[in-house]
Amino acid sequence: MRTQVAIVGAGPAGLMLAHLLSIEGIESIVIESRTRSYVEHRVRAGVLEHGSADLLDAIGAGARMRSEGLVHHGIRLRFGGGDHRIDFGQLTGGRGITVYGQQEIVKDLIALRLAAGHPILFEVSDVQLHDMQSDRPSVSFVLDGASQSIECDVIAGCDGFHGVSRESIPAGVLTTAEREYPFAWLGILASVAPSSDELIYCYSERGFALLSMRSPSVSRLYLQVPADEHIEDWPDPRIWEELQTRLAADGWSLVEGPVTEKGISALRSVVVEPMQFGRLFLSGDAAHIVPPTGAKGMNLALRDVHVLAHAVAAFYTSGDTQLLDEYSAHCLRRVWRAQHFSWWMTSMLHRFPDSDAYQERLQLAQLAYMVDSRAASTSLAENYVGYEWTT
Ligand code: RFL
Ligand code: PHB
């Protein structure tokens, strides 16, 4: 097979890139190791920045998000037994976020691509990247028991944190900066109307809790748990009891319902630099991950491929690799802003195992400043909804 851009991974990054390239008249083939059904049902992110929602619209994939997604103009910080609203609308000139499940975006992007007759090859195995430093790189893999190869001009490594693309780069090329956190998130989906019309980020003595949602009848809730916790130790009644204790607030109650999905995810911050090796470009979780507290991971993945598509288009128009060469530095500026925001939200809202009275008072003082100061809440708001660089 021959194409212009071989895309490894059909997550939000890979699928969005395929659409953006196709709008520029550039051909691509997407290969994915999982089944279509698996990627369409993997429960992950839920919050789209203002700019990400606009991007889905711009490529013609926004119709269901606009009709089923929930637009929010604020979040609540809950601490000291009370709620404090961060009003995005007022603080960011009317901007908001859209709550819409990542797997719904993946479904919409897959349907649109297949309807246009463009290929996504699911269930490929033994994926290997070759000749990345030449101008004729290729990707080999096995599909339905047969060995195949795609020759291309550019490879986009959009295969997530556990993919092969980053691992294919020789040792010594990339530098890695990372943080591990001494806790994880236990997340559930429940068939019950959300007990709040906006997300609640809750700091409590027993640890962080988050109330989110997927629709008017589906709640998504998270609990901070120790990093080595096992999901088997958390039967549904224990999860609800812990949520009730942490989220308790005067005059408010958490309504429980059947749990339809649950799992534990580790929290890490990682960035590899540069996000390029020859004609291989890493995008999204393949190059960087953030703890989910800032709701940034998928948004960053979409931003990366927006930059990459533009650079690839310029390359085909002019033959010039300047924008491709600048891709990594361009993305890393936003990536590091999101790294800081995600690390900072995580540090402010979680209980650390070695915490003492001094650290707790510092966290509470920081939370109070966030809601008392317009400057501080504006900073949180603009980072959360996503902002455009002015330089
Ligand atoms: P993905 O989504 O991991 O997709 C990579 C795809 O590549 C496939 N793959 C391969 N394909 C071919 N060959 C191989 N060798 C392959 N190896 C892997 C995989 O099967 C997969 O289909 O990466 P991408 O596209 O970069 O997207 C990143 C996002 O998925 C991720 O950043 C977000 O889910 C993070 N995240 C959140 N981000 C937000 O922007 N807002 C949120 O509210 C938010 N909440 C979250 C989150 C992540 C969470 N978890 C589970 C880590 C909440 C949680 C709990
Ligand atoms: C979610 O709804 O899954 C979600 C919302 C906000 C976050 C993380 C996850 O910060």
Side-chain angles (χ1 to χ4, degrees):
M1 283 181 254
R2 159 109 201 121
T3 192
Q4 290 176 294
V5 181
I7 301 176
V8 187
L15 293 166
M16 175 58 78
L17 178 63
H19 283 288
L20 291 168
L21 292 174
S22 149
I23 289 167
E24 299 284 352
I26 298 164
E27 257 183 34
S28 64
I29 298 176
V30 181
I31 60 168
E32 164 61 50
S33 55
R34 302 286 191 162
T35 64
R36 177 177 179 184
S37 169
Y38 183 93
V39 299
E40 288 186 344
H41 293 94
R42 188 165 40 194
V43 179
R44 290 176 106 185
V47 172
L48 280 171
E49 290 177 358
H50 178 92
S52 302
D54 286 351
L55 186 59
L56 281 169
D57 269 341
I59 65 156
R64 208 158 63 89
M65 170 203 60
R66 291 295 178 200
S67 70
E68 295 176 20
L70 309 168
V71 176
H72 289 185
H73 286 99
I75 54 166
R76 286 159 207 270
L77 298 180
R78 180 170 287 182
F79 59 94
D83 271 0
H84 311 267
R85 183 164 189 262
I86 304 285
D87 187 331
F88 297 155
Q90 223 180 61
L91 297 166
T92 67
R95 291 194 162 186
I97 50 159
T98 304
V99 181
Y100 187 61
Q102 176 171 327
Q103 76 273 28
E104 304 307 321
I105 296 173
V106 165
K107 276 181 207 160
D108 296 343
L109 293 174
I110 290 175
L112 195 65
R113 179 161 174 94
L114 296 181
H118 299 310
I120 308 176
L121 309 178
F122 290 100
E123 295 183 77
V124 302
S125 58
D126 198 13
V127 175
Q128 292 179 33
L129 277 44
H130 310 275
D131 304 322
M132 291 164 276
Q133 284 187 293
S134 78
D135 55 12
R136 278 280 173 276
S138 65
V139 179
S140 65
F141 54 93
V142 172
L143 178 63
D144 293 331
S147 296
Q148 308 259 12
S149 175
I150 305 174
E151 278 185 23
C152 55
D153 302 318
V154 168
I155 304 174
C158 302
D159 47 354
F161 191 61
H162 302 286
V164 295
S165 299
R166 190 181 65 254
E167 298 299 323
S168 309
I169 299 175
V173 172
L174 300 178
T175 57
T176 305
E178 61 189 315
R179 275 285 171 280
E180 295 219 357
Y181 300 88
F183 37 74
W185 276 20
L186 186 162
I188 62 166
L189 268 185
S191 304
V192 59
S195 298
S196 165
D197 55 354
E198 290 180 335
L199 273 66
I200 302 174
Y201 285 79
C202 176
Y203 173 90
S204 93
E205 278 175 13
R206 296 177 62 89
F208 172 72
L210 170 62
L211 183 152
S212 180
M213 60 206 71
R214 285 293 176 272
S215 73
S217 56
V218 177
S219 298
R220 176 88 168 136
L221 295 130
Y222 296 98
L223 283 171
Q224 170 189 350
V225 294
D228 53 1
E229 204 73 351
H230 298 290
I231 197 69
E232 302 76 48
D233 297 330
W234 285 86
D236 299 353
R238 181 179 176 202
I239 296 175
W240 285 114
E241 195 185 322
E242 193 60 36
L243 285 165
Q244 295 284 6
T245 312
R246 292 190 195 179
L247 284 163
D250 286 344
W252 181 86
S253 59
L254 174 66
V255 184
E256 302 181 10
V259 174
T260 55
E261 225 264 355
K262 61 179 170 183
I264 292 182
S265 320
L267 262 59
R268 288 179 83 183
S269 300
V270 182
V271 182
V272 300
E273 302 188 30
M275 292 165 59
Q276 175 189 5
F277 176 64
R279 288 288 180 91
L280 166 65
F281 296 86
L282 301 177
S283 297
D285 278 18
H288 42 75
I289 52 171
V290 282
T293 330
K296 286 283 159 261
M298 177 175 58
N299 292 294
L300 279 181
L302 297 175
R303 291 288 185 157
D304 285 353
V305 295
H306 194 214
V307 175
L308 184 57
H310 187 60
V312 171
F315 166 66
Y316 280 115
T317 310
S318 64
D320 187 345
T321 61
Q322 189 188 342
L323 290 186
L324 284 175
D325 297 338
E326 290 170 2
Y327 164 76
S328 176
H330 188 154
C331 291
L332 284 167
R333 185 174 178 198
R334 181 178 296 279
V335 165
W336 275 108
R337 174 86 295 280
Q339 286 288 336
H340 182 271
F341 179 66
S342 306
W343 163 85
W344 171 78
M345 286 282 279
T346 304
S347 309
M348 178 171 68
L349 287 162
H350 289 72
R351 280 285 288 216
F352 286 73
D354 59 356
S355 183
D356 57 11
Y358 185 77
Q359 163 132 28
E360 283 154 32
R361 293 306 296 261
L362 284 183
Q363 286 177 307
L364 286 167
Q366 178 70 6
L367 281 162
Y369 178 53
M370 280 302 115
V371 299
D372 290 343
S373 153
R374 191 179 170 94
S377 33
T378 304
S379 169
L380 194 160
E382 74 171 359
N383 276 280
Y384 199 94
V385 302
Y387 68 101
E388 301 311 319
W389 305 109
T390 49
T391 56

PDB file of all heavy atoms in Angstrom, residues 79 135 148 217 222 314 341 363:
ATOM      1  N   PHE A  79     -15.198  23.024  49.083  1.00  0.00           N
ATOM      2  CA  PHE A  79     -14.258  22.807  50.195  1.00  0.00           C
ATOM      3  C   PHE A  79     -14.804  23.532  51.414  1.00  0.00           C
ATOM      4  O   PHE A  79     -15.623  24.454  51.282  1.00  0.00           O
ATOM      5  CB  PHE A  79     -12.841  23.285  49.841  1.00  0.00           C
ATOM      6  CG  PHE A  79     -12.730  24.747  49.483  1.00  0.00           C
ATOM      7  CD1 PHE A  79     -12.390  25.694  50.443  1.00  0.00           C
ATOM      8  CD2 PHE A  79     -12.967  25.178  48.188  1.00  0.00           C
ATOM      9  CE1 PHE A  79     -12.288  27.042  50.109  1.00  0.00           C
ATOM     10  CE2 PHE A  79     -12.871  26.529  47.848  1.00  0.00           C
ATOM     11  CZ  PHE A  79     -12.534  27.463  48.811  1.00  0.00           C
ATOM     12  N   ASP A 135      13.141   9.929   3.498  1.00  0.00           N
ATOM     13  CA  ASP A 135      11.885  10.555   3.068  1.00  0.00           C
ATOM     14  C   ASP A 135      10.919   9.530   2.477  1.00  0.00           C
ATOM     15  O   ASP A 135       9.928   9.883   1.844  1.00  0.00           O
ATOM     16  CB  ASP A 135      12.132  11.764   2.143  1.00  0.00           C
ATOM     17  CG  ASP A 135      12.986  11.407   0.955  1.00  0.00           C
ATOM     18  OD1 ASP A 135      13.188  10.186   0.747  1.00  0.00           O
ATOM     19  OD2 ASP A 135      13.450  12.320   0.253  1.00  0.00           O
ATOM     20  N   GLN A 148       1.443  -6.857   5.853  1.00  0.00           N
ATOM     21  CA  GLN A 148       1.154  -5.725   4.961  1.00  0.00           C
ATOM     22  C   GLN A 148       2.154  -4.624   5.253  1.00  0.00           C
ATOM     23  O   GLN A 148       2.747  -4.577   6.322  1.00  0.00           O
ATOM     24  CB  GLN A 148      -0.232  -5.148   5.281  1.00  0.00           C
ATOM     25  CG  GLN A 148      -1.340  -6.148   5.317  1.00  0.00           C
ATOM     26  CD  GLN A 148      -2.140  -6.118   4.032  1.00  0.00           C
ATOM     27  OE1 GLN A 148      -1.727  -5.507   3.047  1.00  0.00           O
ATOM     28  NE2 GLN A 148      -3.283  -6.772   4.035  1.00  0.00           N
ATOM     29  N   SER A 217     -29.147  11.955  32.173  1.00  0.00           N
ATOM     30  CA  SER A 217     -29.501  10.754  32.935  1.00  0.00           C
ATOM     31  C   SER A 217     -28.304   9.883  33.301  1.00  0.00           C
ATOM     32  O   SER A 217     -28.474   8.784  33.825  1.00  0.00           O
ATOM     33  CB  SER A 217     -30.518   9.918  32.139  1.00  0.00           C
ATOM     34  OG  SER A 217     -29.968   9.624  30.883  1.00  0.00           O
ATOM     35  N   TYR A 222     -15.779  10.418  40.334  1.00  0.00           N
ATOM     36  CA  TYR A 222     -14.428   9.934  40.605  1.00  0.00           C
ATOM     37  C   TYR A 222     -14.073  10.122  42.073  1.00  0.00           C
ATOM     38  O   TYR A 222     -14.508  11.086  42.712  1.00  0.00           O
ATOM     39  CB  TYR A 222     -13.399  10.723  39.795  1.00  0.00           C
ATOM     40  CG  TYR A 222     -13.494  10.586  38.284  1.00  0.00           C
ATOM     41  CD1 TYR A 222     -14.150  11.552  37.525  1.00  0.00           C
ATOM     42  CD2 TYR A 222     -12.893   9.520  37.622  1.00  0.00           C
ATOM     43  CE1 TYR A 222     -14.209  11.449  36.133  1.00  0.00           C
ATOM     44  CE2 TYR A 222     -12.943   9.411  36.234  1.00  0.00           C
ATOM     45  CZ  TYR A 222     -13.601  10.385  35.500  1.00  0.00           C
ATOM     46  OH  TYR A 222     -13.648  10.276  34.136  1.00  0.00           O
ATOM     47  N   ALA A 314       1.375  22.483   4.437  1.00  0.00           N
ATOM     48  CA  ALA A 314       2.370  23.445   3.932  1.00  0.00           C
ATOM     49  C   ALA A 314       3.501  22.700   3.215  1.00  0.00           C
ATOM     50  O   ALA A 314       4.009  23.156   2.183  1.00  0.00           O
ATOM     51  CB  ALA A 314       2.931  24.264   5.093  1.00  0.00           C
ATOM     52  N   PHE A 341      -0.818  23.469  34.518  1.00  0.00           N
ATOM     53  CA  PHE A 341      -2.187  23.612  35.019  1.00  0.00           C
ATOM     54  C   PHE A 341      -2.679  22.296  35.644  1.00  0.00           C
ATOM     55  O   PHE A 341      -3.265  22.291  36.738  1.00  0.00           O
ATOM     56  CB  PHE A 341      -3.114  24.049  33.875  1.00  0.00           C
ATOM     57  CG  PHE A 341      -4.549  24.194  34.284  1.00  0.00           C
ATOM     58  CD1 PHE A 341      -4.928  25.187  35.183  1.00  0.00           C
ATOM     59  CD2 PHE A 341      -5.520  23.343  33.783  1.00  0.00           C
ATOM     60  CE1 PHE A 341      -6.260  25.320  35.578  1.00  0.00           C
ATOM     61  CE2 PHE A 341      -6.850  23.469  34.164  1.00  0.00           C
ATOM     62  CZ  PHE A 341      -7.224  24.459  35.068  1.00  0.00           C
ATOM     63  N   GLN A 363      -3.171  24.368  51.166  1.00  0.00           N
ATOM     64  CA  GLN A 363      -4.130  24.022  50.098  1.00  0.00           C
ATOM     65  C   GLN A 363      -5.417  24.826  50.265  1.00  0.00           C
ATOM     66  O   GLN A 363      -5.953  25.363  49.295  1.00  0.00           O
ATOM     67  CB  GLN A 363      -4.436  22.517  50.133  1.00  0.00           C
ATOM     68  CG  GLN A 363      -3.289  21.665  49.611  1.00  0.00           C
ATOM     69  CD  GLN A 363      -3.599  20.186  49.730  1.00  0.00           C
ATOM     70  OE1 GLN A 363      -3.948  19.701  50.802  1.00  0.00           O
ATOM     71  NE2 GLN A 363      -3.467  19.457  48.631  1.00  0.00           N
TER      72      GLN A 363
END
